[in-house]
Amino acid sequence: MIPFLNLKDINAQYEEELKSAVYRVINSGWYILGQEVNKFEEEYAKYCGVNHCIGVSNGLDALKLILEAHNIGPGDEVIVPSNTYIASILAITKVGATPILVEPNIFTYNINPLLIEDKVTKNTKAILVVHLYGQIVDIDPIIDIAKKYQLKVIEDAAQSHGAVYKGKKVGNLGDAAGFSFYPGKNLGALGDAGAITTNDNEIAEKIRVLRNYGSGKKYENIFIGSNNRLDEIQASILRVKLNYLDKENAARRQIASMYLNNIKNEHITLPTAPKKTKEHVWHVFVIRTGEREHFQKYLEEHGIQTVIHYPIPPHKQKAYSEWNNIHLPITEKIHKEVISIPLSPIQPIDDTNRIIEVINSYKKHN
Ligand SMILES: *Cc1c(COP(=O)(O)O)cnc(C)c1O
């Protein structure tokens, strides 16, 4: 079986360095908010080209903390793409604000900037963009709208570590960005982890306090905070893996370009390749087909593992039953047709060729 993503093999490449990082933490005797978190925050801020990075517990908490730090809560509206991973929307509802769902562009799968302005009301506080599947949102027109109505632009960068837009890295494109380092992400820890990047000094300071019980000075609490800290061990692991992020993204791009150049089948829609391929970090390679179940079974029978990102759109989830009757045709079409094929930074070229060959031989069922 060609695996969708073999995390064990990816991490095995760095085994010695990872072991010595973890031993360093064990031997330090200091396990929460110490040198490793400080150093990782410095290194990741530098990598993204921003003034501040704050390590946190996971990507969902990162987004929640950004919203909280901007005092976004009950009565406020946040514009968000309707076809995102559920966490982007959970963050908004968890702080008590209202998500305003906006349909994506069918070619890029990212929020359609042309549909945003109509959704702005007097209650709108922010636009939460999601760089889905590793591709950066066309953010300039969104920043223009945000300036016009004085809205915050928040990036959900959980799938796009290292992606570049007009010379700027992801995490440096809006007012603040939330990252996830869930193990399968482009920069993955060996457990849960996340971070926030921002150039705003005040917001950075507030998030530092909020993530640690709302306490800046030990046992003095200025906000009703939570425990959203990044562990020393995960930070030490991320410091090792950050050194290889660009190399791994380059390997992802190479496989993606093989797929884009060689998959040719009238029943398969390939993702739209950006003009400057550097912008895209190919968190997943998502194709579309009308008979997805049949296609998935065909690939499985030919030894190719696939994953669906994602089978049910947020507005059709039970958790959000109040939206179940809304009709969002582009989002629903995407969720019905998408399927992600294997793409790993260590995928052997023979596997990539085999996947291309199998997909090119696919015939429709009906
Ligand atoms: C993974 C992911 C998150 C959440 O990250 P966790 O670390 O799992 O909480 C948020 N948004 C998007 C788009 C994601 O892919």
Side-chain angles (χ1 to χ4, degrees):
M1 195 74 163
I2 300 177
F4 178 71
L5 182 71
N6 194 337
L7 274 180
K8 189 175 163 208
D9 292 345
I10 292 173
N11 289 319
Q13 301 175 94
Y14 317 123
E15 189 173 331
E16 289 313 311
E17 279 186 82
L18 292 173
K19 275 185 185 159
S20 70
V22 172
Y23 289 154
R24 192 170 66 229
V25 177
I26 294 171
N27 294 329
S28 75
W30 192 279
Y31 308 113
I32 297 287
L33 297 187
Q35 276 307 304
E36 299 294 332
V37 170
N38 285 343
K39 290 255 172 62
F40 173 70
E41 289 177 342
E42 253 171 55
E43 289 157 6
Y44 199 59
K46 186 160 170 245
Y47 177 83
C48 296
V50 293
N51 293 337
H52 306 281
C53 167
I54 306 102
V56 297
S57 34
N58 57 62
L60 174 59
D61 285 349
L63 296 171
K64 276 191 328 202
L65 286 165
I66 292 170
L67 293 167
E68 265 187 78
H70 286 96
N71 297 317
I72 294 172
D76 298 332
E77 294 175 359
V78 178
I79 290 172
V80 65
S82 47
N83 63 317
T84 180
Y85 178 56
I86 198 77
S88 325
I89 292 174
L90 285 174
I92 300 169
T93 55
K94 281 283 178 190
V95 300
T98 305
I100 302 298
L101 306 178
V102 171
E103 288 244 84
N105 175 306
I106 187 83
F107 298 108
T108 64
Y109 307 123
N110 275 330
I111 193 166
N112 185 344
L114 300 174
L115 303 178
I116 292 177
E117 197 164 355
D118 272 355
K119 301 280 184 156
V120 176
T121 72
K122 63 178 193 331
N123 297 321
T124 312
K125 289 283 153 36
I127 305 170
L128 176 59
V129 299
V130 183
H131 309 297
L132 200 67
Y133 306 150
Q135 171 152 244
I136 296 200
V137 169
D138 185 16
I139 205 154
D140 280 351
I142 296 174
I143 300 227
D144 289 343
I145 297 167
K147 277 193 185 137
K148 186 168 160 189
Y149 297 98
Q150 296 189 323
L151 311 176
K152 297 294 173 191
V153 174
I154 300 165
E155 297 176 78
D156 180 339
Q159 301 191 358
S160 57
H161 318 72
V164 179
Y165 180 85
K166 298 183 180 174
K168 270 190 179 179
K169 283 249 171 65
V170 112
N172 187 19
L173 303 175
D175 292 283
F179 287 89
S180 164
F181 306 119
Y182 180 81
K185 303 288 160 104
N186 290 42
L187 178 57
L190 302 184
D192 278 311
I196 292 150
T197 56
T198 181
N199 287 311
D200 185 323
N201 299 343
E202 228 171 282
I203 289 292
E205 192 43 44
K206 190 168 175 190
I207 290 172
R208 273 185 200 290
V209 172
L210 281 173
R211 76 163 171 193
N212 190 25
Y213 304 122
S215 160
K217 201 169 158 200
K218 205 164 189 181
Y219 307 131
E220 284 182 24
N221 300 73
I222 47 179
F223 300 117
I224 302 172
S226 313
N227 178 349
N228 306 115
R229 298 178 300 228
L230 170 64
D231 291 5
E232 285 284 284
I233 285 189
Q234 296 305 338
S236 79
I237 284 159
L238 289 165
R239 291 183 66 203
V240 171
K241 293 192 71 184
L242 179 58
N243 294 322
Y244 301 101
L245 176 59
D246 284 343
K247 190 189 91 184
E248 291 202 347
N249 281 342
R252 287 173 184 274
R253 257 178 234 121
Q254 195 156 9
I255 294 161
S257 88
M258 281 181 69
Y259 284 153
L260 290 170
N261 292 329
N262 298 298
I263 295 178
K264 290 187 173 76
N265 186 319
E266 57 172 331
H267 308 303
I268 303 295
T269 307
L270 291 172
T272 304
K275 282 177 212 87
K276 293 182 217 120
T277 50
K278 200 165 181 249
E279 293 176 3
H280 204 318
V281 292
W282 300 103
H283 172 57
V284 282
F285 194 91
V286 174
I287 61 182
R288 279 194 288 126
T289 184
E291 292 180 350
R292 180 173 65 194
E293 246 176 75
H294 179 246
F295 179 68
Q296 187 168 35
K297 200 161 150 257
Y298 166 85
L299 291 184
E300 197 186 311
E301 282 164 6
H302 288 79
I304 298 166
Q305 193 186 22
T306 56
V307 178
I308 292 166
H309 298 99
Y310 300 91
I312 305 170
H315 71 285
K316 296 292 180 193
Q317 296 285 0
K318 266 196 203 136
Y320 291 119
S321 58
E322 68 271 32
W323 300 332
N324 287 175
N325 292 326
I326 302 176
H327 184 43
L328 297 166
I330 298 170
T331 301
E332 286 158 33
K333 183 177 167 65
I334 289 171
H335 284 261
K336 219 166 77 193
E337 296 186 349
V338 287
I339 178 163
S340 309
I341 59 175
L343 193 160
S344 146
I346 54 165
Q347 187 164 298
I349 194 153
D350 287 352
D351 285 4
T352 305
N353 282 327
R354 165 90 184 137
I355 292 163
I356 292 165
E357 192 188 296
V358 169
I359 293 178
N360 287 348
S361 309
Y362 170 70
K363 287 183 189 59
K364 249 177 106 176
H365 183 52
N366 291 320

